[in-house]
């Protein structure tokens, strides 16, 4: 049991570190703040970190990503400011600072390890602001009846949607420390793409999409300076993204988690359930914040009908393109997940891409049990079945609704994403070398041990994948031709290259 005096001391130290973090706006101050955070966590056990995660951690998130706490509004409502540590590392072009921030946020670092330990004791719960949730979710939470069915429609919110004890009829999203951090991490590029203050972030968007929001995005199209800033910034963020995917979402490296298995996610019902749940949580979070978000058809129609609900999302969101600037980060995400599709190349087993991952429960299965079932990815499935529909609509909406007057840069990134998805047989671990310092040190023989060797070309083994993703090879081609015709006058050289590719 922790004494009152010791608890007061940890509270005081946590407040002091929060003040240090809040004041850190130069490279030297940021380095000192990182040292202070890690020093505290090294010296305290998990049960002594409650005050740190209550006081210091929310401030740390604000400073890392540049979310400002406005004094005139709720502290939960955050907008991006250029004073975020990621921005400062980009502006200063300081590799030491970038490496220090990466080390602090690394899945193998003391911060993430302390987060896992704190969640093991259920020390802290956070309420994620509704204003920062995907648009379709925000719309549903406006209605009590829709809120009650949301956790059944979307596994991401299962057991995380709780009734507000203060307001009574409204609902809120309650998360543990790891989930709370990942929500903000995934929301960061969305906020970058929107480039809007908190007063303009709302559920109901105008049908007329604001051109400046599309052009002023993560790739940085408004000025040369912005583009230079983003090159370094994007690299740090994508390095973190890849590190989290590698650590929490098993694909080709399942042996690290299950020595008895040889293919993707061969998890039994009772084996490594926390690993599977964390992987599914992260994949679902990325899907709904990045791919779905403001889609007027966020869920399959048949799924909605099975619960007896129909939502007028098209009349609410209109024909709106996805958030701009997500092409590069989504490409890393999708490429990594499609590493799981390498499985059929070096073996006789075919991966089933046509079904959603199956739900397995012990004993006889019934519809009554299905709501309490533990989601386990069956050995005959890959992550591809999770992203098929949302990714298709993400690319489709870009081709259909990209404003004619906007720069071609954002659409070009989505085009690259689409082409990459069409050719999963070309994906290999070597493509992630720039994002993984460990891979940089690896030789070719080591890389071959990480993922199966494969020919970089189409073989008959990929027929199942192509047929399951047929719309990517057929209707999206027609929509792209229409897009190319519409944008030909804006940048003929880029459009011709895209068409020829």
């Amino acid at each position: 049991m922790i004494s009152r005096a010791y608890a007061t001391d940890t509270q005081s130290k946590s407040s002091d570190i929060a003040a240090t973090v809040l004041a850190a706006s130069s490279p030297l101050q940021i380095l000192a703040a990182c040292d202070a955070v890690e020093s505290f966590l090294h010296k305290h056990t998990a049960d002594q970190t409650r005050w740190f995660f209550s006081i210091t951690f929310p401030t740390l998130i604000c400073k890392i990503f540049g979310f400002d706490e406005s004094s005139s509004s709720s502290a939960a409502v955050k907008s991006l400011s250029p004073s975020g540590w990621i921005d400062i590392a980009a502006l200063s072009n300081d590799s030491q600072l970038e490496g220090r921030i990466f080390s602090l946020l690394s899945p193998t670092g003391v911060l993430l390890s302390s987060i896992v330990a704190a969640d093991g004791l259920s020390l802290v719960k956070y309420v994620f602001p509704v204003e920062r949730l995907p648009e379709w979710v925000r719309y549903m939470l406006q209605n009590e009846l829709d809120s009650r069915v949301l956790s059944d429609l979307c596994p991401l919110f299962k057991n995380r949607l709780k009734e507000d004890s203060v307001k009574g009829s409204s609902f809120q999203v309650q998360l543990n420390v790891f989930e709370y951090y990942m929500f903000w991490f995934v929301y960061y590029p969305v906020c970058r793409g929107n480039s809007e203050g908190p007063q303009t972030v709302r559920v109901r968007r105008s049908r007329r999409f604001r051109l400046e929001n599309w052009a002023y995005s993560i790739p940085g199209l408004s000025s040369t300076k912005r583009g230079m800033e983003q090159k370094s910034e994007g690299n740090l963020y994508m390095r973190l993204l890849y590190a989290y995917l590698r650590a929490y979402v098993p694909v080709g490296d399942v042996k690290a988690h299950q020595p008895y298995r040889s293919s993707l996610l061969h998890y039994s019902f009772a084996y490594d359930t926390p690993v599977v749940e964390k992987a599914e949580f992260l994949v679902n979070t990325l899907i709904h914040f990045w791919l779905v978000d403001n889609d007027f058809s966020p869920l399959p129609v048949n799924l909605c009908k099975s619960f007896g609900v129909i939502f007028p999302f098209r009349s609410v969101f209109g024909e709106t393109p996805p958030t701009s600037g997500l092409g590069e980060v989504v490409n890393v995400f999708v490429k990594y997940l499609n590493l799981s599709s390498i499985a059929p190349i070096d073996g006789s087993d075919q991966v089933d891409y046509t079904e959603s991952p199956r739900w397995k429960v012990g004993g006889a299965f019934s519809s009554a049990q299905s709501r309490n079932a533990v989601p386990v990815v069956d050995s005959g499935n890959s992550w591809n079945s999770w992203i098929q529909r949302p990714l298709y609509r993400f690319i489709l909406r870009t081709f259909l609704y990209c404003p004619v007057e906007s720069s071609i840069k954002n659409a070009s990134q989505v085009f690259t994403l689409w082409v990459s998805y069409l050719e999963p047989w070309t994906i290999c671990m070597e493509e992630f070398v720039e994002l993984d310092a460990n891979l940089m040190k690896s030789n070719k023989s080591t890389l071959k041990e990480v993922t199966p060797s494969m020919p970089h070309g189409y073989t008959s083994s990929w027929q199942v994948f192509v047929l399951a993703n047929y719309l990517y090879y057929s209707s999206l081609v027609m929509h792209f031709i229409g897009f190319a015709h519409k944008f030909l006058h804006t940048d003929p050289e880029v459009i011709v290259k895209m068409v020829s590719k």
Side-chain angles (χ1 to χ4, degrees):
M1 182 177 178
I2 302 175
S3 66
R4 182 183 298 272
Y6 192 88
T8 303
D9 181 58
T10 56
Q11 180 181 0
S12 176
K13 288 182 178 178
S14 297
S15 298
D16 291 342
I17 297 174
T20 301
V21 169
L22 188 61
S25 57
S26 69
L28 289 178
Q29 290 174 332
I30 295 172
L31 292 173
C34 291
D35 291 339
V37 169
E38 292 190 345
S39 176
F40 178 90
L41 295 175
H42 276 303
K43 294 177 181 178
H44 295 79
T45 58
D47 60 332
Q48 299 168 349
T49 59
R50 184 188 302 274
W51 285 113
F52 173 87
F53 287 110
S54 299
I55 299 173
T56 312
F57 190 63
T59 303
L60 184 62
I61 288 178
C62 287
K63 293 300 294 183
I64 289 171
F65 301 114
F67 296 120
D68 270 343
E69 292 184 332
S70 174
S71 58
S72 61
S73 60
S74 169
V77 180
K78 299 178 176 63
S79 62
L80 271 178
S81 84
S83 61
W85 290 359
I86 293 179
D87 296 310
I88 294 172
L91 288 169
S92 63
N93 196 26
D94 188 336
S95 58
Q96 180 187 3
L97 178 60
E98 181 177 317
R100 189 67 185 87
I101 296 173
F102 180 86
S103 177
L104 175 69
L105 304 178
S106 168
T108 59
V110 65
L111 177 61
L112 267 294
S113 298
S114 299
I115 287 175
V116 173
D119 285 338
L121 299 176
S122 300
L123 290 184
V124 181
K125 285 286 186 180
Y126 300 93
V127 175
F128 192 81
V130 173
E131 296 86 354
R132 299 310 183 217
L133 291 169
E135 286 204 35
W136 76 274
V137 177
R138 303 207 299 264
Y139 177 83
M140 290 193 66
L141 290 178
Q142 293 183 14
N143 182 285
E144 183 179 355
L145 294 178
D146 293 344
S147 298
R148 295 187 181 279
V149 77
L150 177 60
S151 60
D152 292 322
L153 283 173
C154 183
L156 178 60
F157 298 100
K158 190 173 183 64
N159 299 323
R160 298 183 178 96
L161 200 62
K162 309 291 182 181
E163 193 165 357
D164 193 330
S165 58
V166 178
K167 296 182 180 179
S169 59
S170 63
F171 287 78
Q172 56 185 211
V173 178
Q174 295 183 10
L175 306 169
N176 63 28
V177 187
F178 177 82
E179 294 165 348
Y180 186 72
Y181 170 72
M182 283 301 168
F183 263 46
W184 282 117
F185 175 80
V186 174
Y187 174 71
Y188 171 74
V190 176
C191 193
R192 271 284 174 215
N194 288 330
S195 298
E196 294 178 353
Q199 71 277 7
T200 60
V201 177
R202 55 188 181 276
V203 173
R204 294 182 178 272
R205 279 191 178 181
S206 171
R207 283 176 176 267
R208 185 177 179 180
F209 188 75
R210 297 182 62 186
L211 176 61
E212 59 269 27
N213 295 340
W214 181 267
Y216 192 79
S217 62
I218 286 183
L221 305 174
S222 60
S223 68
T224 304
K225 180 180 178 182
R226 177 67 188 165
M228 292 175 65
E229 291 174 16
Q230 191 57 48
K231 183 177 180 181
S232 177
E233 173 187 295
N235 182 51
L236 174 56
Y237 183 86
M238 287 195 287
R239 282 178 61 203
L240 287 168
L241 170 63
Y242 177 72
Y244 296 146
L245 290 171
R246 189 101 169 99
Y248 305 123
V249 183
V251 282
D253 59 347
V254 179
K255 293 179 182 179
H257 301 277
Q258 279 189 283
Y260 308 107
R261 308 293 182 170
S262 60
S263 187
L264 162 73
L265 289 177
H266 286 73
Y267 291 100
S268 67
F269 175 70
Y271 191 94
D272 256 350
T273 298
V275 174
V276 179
E277 290 178 346
K278 185 169 287 187
E280 292 182 341
F281 163 79
L282 183 54
V283 170
N284 273 322
T285 301
L286 291 163
I287 287 174
H288 285 283
F289 273 87
W290 290 356
L291 301 182
V292 181
D293 189 20
N294 57 354
D295 189 353
F296 61 77
S297 179
L299 301 171
V301 176
N302 290 339
L303 176 63
C304 294
K305 287 183 177 179
S306 67
F307 286 92
V309 293
I310 299 177
F311 305 110
F313 288 125
R314 187 156 195 165
S315 63
V316 175
F317 301 144
E319 296 178 342
T320 307
T323 301
S324 62
L326 294 179
E328 290 184 339
V329 291
V330 171
N331 197 19
V332 172
F333 170 51
V334 171
K335 273 190 174 183
Y336 179 83
L337 291 191
N338 269 349
L339 286 173
S340 65
S341 302
I342 295 175
I345 296 302
D346 65 339
S348 58
D349 295 333
Q350 293 288 341
V351 176
D352 182 0
Y353 301 96
T354 58
E355 300 178 352
S356 298
R358 302 183 180 97
W359 294 76
K360 286 179 145 186
V361 293
F365 182 85
S366 66
S367 58
Q369 289 176 306
S370 62
R371 293 195 176 190
N372 298 318
V374 178
V376 179
V377 181
D378 189 271
S379 60
N381 288 275
S382 78
W383 288 116
N384 181 265
S385 58
W386 288 56
I387 60 175
Q388 271 183 4
R389 184 183 188 274
L391 179 62
Y392 174 85
R393 291 196 54 80
F394 177 87
I395 299 171
L396 175 66
R397 290 189 296 132
T398 300
F399 289 160
L400 289 180
Y401 308 135
C402 178
V404 176
E405 300 85 358
S406 66
S407 169
I408 199 68
K409 181 66 176 294
N410 187 76
S412 177
Q413 291 181 349
V414 176
F415 170 81
T416 301
L417 162 68
W418 173 45
V419 172
S420 174
Y421 186 84
L422 291 176
E423 302 175 321
W425 44 84
T426 65
I427 300 174
C428 58
M429 287 300 296
E430 286 89 337
E431 294 190 38
F432 300 99
V433 167
E434 293 183 359
L435 303 178
D436 191 336
N438 292 327
L439 284 181
M440 291 181 188
K441 301 174 184 178
S442 301
N443 54 37
K444 293 184 178 180
S445 61
T446 305
L447 289 174
K448 288 179 180 179
E449 292 176 3
V450 177
T451 54
S453 58
M454 54 176 287
H456 294 282
Y458 177 82
T459 66
S460 59
S461 301
W462 288 102
Q463 183 177 355
V464 176
F465 177 93
V466 173
L467 292 177
N469 292 276
Y470 181 70
L471 292 179
Y472 284 87
Y473 299 88
S474 55
S475 65
L476 271 187
V477 175
M478 301 305 298
H479 289 299
F480 168 70
I481 292 174
F483 162 84
H485 182 266
K486 183 171 66 174
F487 275 82
L488 183 61
H489 68 284
T490 61
D491 196 331
E493 183 180 356
V494 173
I495 293 296
V496 168
K497 287 182 179 179
M498 292 166 70
V499 172
S500 63
K501 184 174 180 65

